[in-house]
Amino acid sequence: MDWIWGRFTVNEETKKIPYRVLWEKIPFLILCLAFYYFNWANGGSPGSSSAYPVPQRLVFSAYSLVEYVFRFLAPVKLYFFHPYPISPGEPLPLYFFGYFLLAGLIIYFVWEQARKGNRLILFGFYFFLFNLLLVLHLIPLPRPVITADRYLYLSVIGLAWMLIGLADQWQGIGNRKIKTSFLLCGGLIWLILLSCQSHLRTLEWKDSDTTKSNVLELMEKNPLPEDSEPLFNLVKP
């Protein structure tokens, strides 16, 4: 945020970096380390995902990145529990490697925007990525799920920022009046669809049985060993 608003820039006269911008972050860094220690001391050490080798975790990272982007654009097939697609030691389905291509396309798009000097979109992507970086399986975590929708609560702000930046950029090219009307109509339709999806979610979350029903169907297709899943009891009827 300091970078995009020009607070972290080298002084033209003194050629010095504004260290004050860094010093003011020290209290937040101390709090961060304190929370990290508290989490580690209470059983937050690497666990579940460490059972998977590094190559598979890299695939999980690409999968998670792409899934979070698409859930922002079209939040369908949502579950309160997203299990791993395979058990430790099993080979990954070949189609999962296609997520490398999709993740690459996303990163290439952002790189192109950065090359054009579009800091707004670059900032949005950084905000999205940095808030997800620790839960993208690059670092093993003690959790039995491959993705979790709650990790989007903050990081989704970055995706929204990118979408607004793209809309503003596109609106400025050509007939502004027509494109403004198009964006308003498209945004209204999208909000209506999101409202309908929200209503359907309230029906699925009516009680424990309805909440777990679609997850149980998912687990029947991808059975996982019960003893390696500490949250499995949350899903069992």
Side-chain angles (χ1 to χ4, degrees):
M1 292 176 73
D2 290 329
W3 170 71
I4 193 173
W5 273 291
R7 295 188 69 226
F8 193 74
T9 54
V10 178
N11 190 295
E12 292 291 337
E13 298 178 359
T14 62
K15 304 298 182 182
K16 292 183 178 179
I17 297 174
Y19 290 106
R20 181 178 59 83
V21 178
L22 297 178
W23 303 144
E24 68 187 20
K25 307 299 188 299
I26 290 179
F28 298 101
L29 178 61
I30 294 173
L31 281 173
C32 176
L33 294 174
F35 278 114
Y36 176 78
Y37 173 78
F38 176 80
N39 182 64
W40 189 279
N42 287 274
S45 57
S48 297
S49 60
S50 62
Y52 297 92
V54 173
Q56 288 187 344
R57 292 211 311 271
L58 290 175
V59 177
F60 292 156
S61 297
Y63 169 84
S64 300
L65 179 70
V66 173
E67 279 293 305
Y68 286 130
V69 171
F70 278 99
R71 283 178 203 170
F72 165 68
L73 297 172
V76 297
K77 293 185 177 180
L78 301 178
Y79 307 95
F80 87 100
F81 188 91
H82 295 269
Y84 283 93
I86 58 170
S87 297
E90 292 182 348
L92 269 172
L94 289 178
Y95 73 87
F96 257 77
F97 291 91
Y99 284 98
F100 273 129
L101 175 62
L102 295 175
L105 289 175
I106 293 172
I107 294 172
Y108 175 76
F109 165 77
V110 175
W111 180 80
E112 277 291 308
Q113 295 297 319
R115 194 171 60 86
K116 295 176 182 177
N118 196 331
R119 284 192 171 192
L120 192 64
I121 292 177
L122 191 60
F123 165 74
F125 182 74
Y126 282 161
F127 191 97
F128 165 71
L129 183 63
F130 289 165
N131 278 287
L132 286 177
L133 202 56
L134 294 179
V135 293
L136 287 181
H137 304 284
L138 298 174
I139 299 174
L141 291 175
R143 58 173 187 163
V145 292
I146 188 170
T147 58
D149 297 332
R150 63 185 178 275
Y151 296 141
L152 271 178
Y153 294 165
L154 181 61
S155 58
V156 74
I157 295 173
L159 292 179
W161 204 297
M162 290 179 66
L163 193 62
I164 292 170
L166 285 173
D168 184 65
Q169 185 183 64
W170 179 73
Q171 186 186 28
I173 303 174
N175 192 315
R176 187 178 182 89
K177 187 175 181 180
I178 293 177
K179 289 190 173 182
T180 300
S181 301
F182 178 82
L183 286 173
L184 288 174
C185 291
L188 180 61
I189 292 172
W190 189 43
L191 288 176
I192 292 173
L193 292 175
L194 291 178
S195 299
C196 293
Q197 177 66 2
S198 296
H199 176 66
L200 293 175
R201 291 294 291 163
T202 62
L203 298 179
E204 290 182 1
W205 284 68
K206 180 181 178 181
D207 52 42
S208 296
D209 292 333
T210 57
T211 301
K212 296 176 180 179
S213 59
N214 59 359
V215 183
L216 289 170
E217 293 175 4
L218 185 67
M219 284 193 156
E220 287 175 1
K221 298 177 183 178
N222 301 291
L224 296 172
E226 181 175 346
D227 57 355
S228 67
E229 300 300 327
L231 290 185
F232 194 88
N233 290 331
L234 294 177
V235 184
K236 287 174 61 179

Short mmCIF file of all heavy atoms in Angstrom, two decimals, residues 167-181 183:
data_model
loop_
_atom_site.label_atom_id
_atom_site.label_comp_id
_atom_site.label_asym_id
_atom_site.label_seq_id
_atom_site.Cartn_x
_atom_site.Cartn_y
_atom_site.Cartn_z
N ALA A 167 -12.19 -2.62 -14.95
CA ALA A 167 -13.40 -1.96 -15.44
C ALA A 167 -13.13 -0.49 -15.75
O ALA A 167 -13.57 0.04 -16.78
CB ALA A 167 -14.53 -2.09 -14.42
N ASP A 168 -12.39 0.16 -14.86
CA ASP A 168 -12.06 1.57 -15.07
C ASP A 168 -11.17 1.75 -16.29
O ASP A 168 -11.34 2.69 -17.08
CB ASP A 168 -11.38 2.12 -13.83
CG ASP A 168 -11.09 3.61 -13.95
OD1 ASP A 168 -12.05 4.40 -14.01
OD2 ASP A 168 -9.91 3.99 -13.98
N GLN A 169 -10.23 0.83 -16.46
CA GLN A 169 -9.33 0.88 -17.61
C GLN A 169 -10.10 0.68 -18.92
O GLN A 169 -9.90 1.40 -19.90
CB GLN A 169 -8.25 -0.18 -17.46
CG GLN A 169 -7.17 -0.16 -18.52
CD GLN A 169 -6.18 -1.29 -18.31
OE1 GLN A 169 -6.54 -2.48 -18.41
NE2 GLN A 169 -4.94 -0.95 -18.01
N TRP A 170 -10.98 -0.30 -18.94
CA TRP A 170 -11.76 -0.61 -20.14
C TRP A 170 -12.76 0.50 -20.46
O TRP A 170 -13.00 0.83 -21.62
CB TRP A 170 -12.50 -1.93 -19.93
CG TRP A 170 -13.35 -2.34 -21.09
CD1 TRP A 170 -12.92 -2.83 -22.29
CD2 TRP A 170 -14.78 -2.31 -21.16
NE1 TRP A 170 -13.99 -3.11 -23.10
CE2 TRP A 170 -15.15 -2.80 -22.44
CE3 TRP A 170 -15.79 -1.93 -20.27
CZ2 TRP A 170 -16.48 -2.91 -22.83
CZ3 TRP A 170 -17.10 -2.03 -20.67
CH2 TRP A 170 -17.44 -2.51 -21.94
N GLN A 171 -13.31 1.11 -19.41
CA GLN A 171 -14.29 2.17 -19.59
C GLN A 171 -13.67 3.41 -20.26
O GLN A 171 -14.35 4.14 -20.99
CB GLN A 171 -14.89 2.56 -18.24
CG GLN A 171 -16.03 3.56 -18.32
CD GLN A 171 -16.47 4.01 -16.94
OE1 GLN A 171 -15.67 4.02 -16.01
NE2 GLN A 171 -17.72 4.40 -16.79
N GLY A 172 -12.41 3.63 -20.02
CA GLY A 172 -11.76 4.82 -20.56
C GLY A 172 -11.39 4.70 -22.03
O GLY A 172 -10.88 5.66 -22.61
N ILE A 173 -11.61 3.54 -22.64
CA ILE A 173 -11.28 3.34 -24.05
C ILE A 173 -12.57 3.35 -24.87
O ILE A 173 -13.48 2.55 -24.62
CB ILE A 173 -10.54 2.01 -24.26
CG1 ILE A 173 -9.27 1.97 -23.39
CG2 ILE A 173 -10.19 1.80 -25.72
CD1 ILE A 173 -8.56 0.64 -23.42
N GLY A 174 -12.68 4.24 -25.85
CA GLY A 174 -13.85 4.28 -26.72
C GLY A 174 -14.98 5.11 -26.14
O GLY A 174 -14.76 6.07 -25.41
N ASN A 175 -16.21 4.68 -26.45
CA ASN A 175 -17.40 5.41 -26.03
C ASN A 175 -17.65 5.18 -24.54
O ASN A 175 -18.12 4.12 -24.14
CB ASN A 175 -18.61 4.96 -26.86
CG ASN A 175 -19.80 5.88 -26.67
OD1 ASN A 175 -20.14 6.26 -25.55
ND2 ASN A 175 -20.43 6.26 -27.77
N ARG A 176 -17.36 6.17 -23.74
CA ARG A 176 -17.45 6.03 -22.28
C ARG A 176 -18.89 5.84 -21.83
O ARG A 176 -19.16 5.06 -20.92
CB ARG A 176 -16.84 7.27 -21.61
CG ARG A 176 -16.72 7.15 -20.10
CD ARG A 176 -16.07 8.38 -19.50
NE ARG A 176 -15.93 8.25 -18.06
CZ ARG A 176 -14.89 7.70 -17.46
NH1 ARG A 176 -13.89 7.23 -18.18
NH2 ARG A 176 -14.82 7.63 -16.15
N LYS A 177 -19.83 6.53 -22.46
CA LYS A 177 -21.23 6.47 -22.03
C LYS A 177 -21.80 5.07 -22.22
O LYS A 177 -22.46 4.51 -21.33
CB LYS A 177 -22.06 7.49 -22.79
CG LYS A 177 -23.48 7.62 -22.29
CD LYS A 177 -24.22 8.74 -23.01
CE LYS A 177 -25.64 8.88 -22.48
NZ LYS A 177 -26.38 9.98 -23.17
N ILE A 178 -21.56 4.49 -23.40
CA ILE A 178 -22.08 3.15 -23.69
C ILE A 178 -21.44 2.12 -22.76
O ILE A 178 -22.12 1.24 -22.21
CB ILE A 178 -21.82 2.78 -25.17
CG1 ILE A 178 -22.66 3.68 -26.09
CG2 ILE A 178 -22.14 1.31 -25.42
CD1 ILE A 178 -22.42 3.43 -27.56
N LYS A 179 -20.13 2.22 -22.56
CA LYS A 179 -19.45 1.25 -21.72
C LYS A 179 -19.86 1.38 -20.25
O LYS A 179 -19.93 0.39 -19.53
CB LYS A 179 -17.94 1.42 -21.86
CG LYS A 179 -17.42 0.96 -23.22
CD LYS A 179 -15.92 0.90 -23.27
CE LYS A 179 -15.45 0.28 -24.57
NZ LYS A 179 -13.98 0.16 -24.65
N THR A 180 -20.15 2.61 -19.81
CA THR A 180 -20.64 2.80 -18.45
C THR A 180 -21.97 2.10 -18.26
O THR A 180 -22.20 1.43 -17.25
CB THR A 180 -20.78 4.30 -18.13
OG1 THR A 180 -19.51 4.94 -18.26
CG2 THR A 180 -21.30 4.50 -16.71
N SER A 181 -22.88 2.25 -19.24
CA SER A 181 -24.18 1.58 -19.17
C SER A 181 -24.01 0.07 -19.17
O SER A 181 -24.70 -0.64 -18.43
CB SER A 181 -25.04 2.01 -20.36
OG SER A 181 -25.24 3.40 -20.36
N LEU A 183 -21.39 -1.64 -18.10
CA LEU A 183 -20.84 -2.07 -16.82
C LEU A 183 -21.90 -2.06 -15.73
O LEU A 183 -21.95 -2.97 -14.89
CB LEU A 183 -19.68 -1.16 -16.42
CG LEU A 183 -18.37 -1.35 -17.19
CD1 LEU A 183 -17.37 -0.27 -16.82
CD2 LEU A 183 -17.78 -2.73 -16.92
#
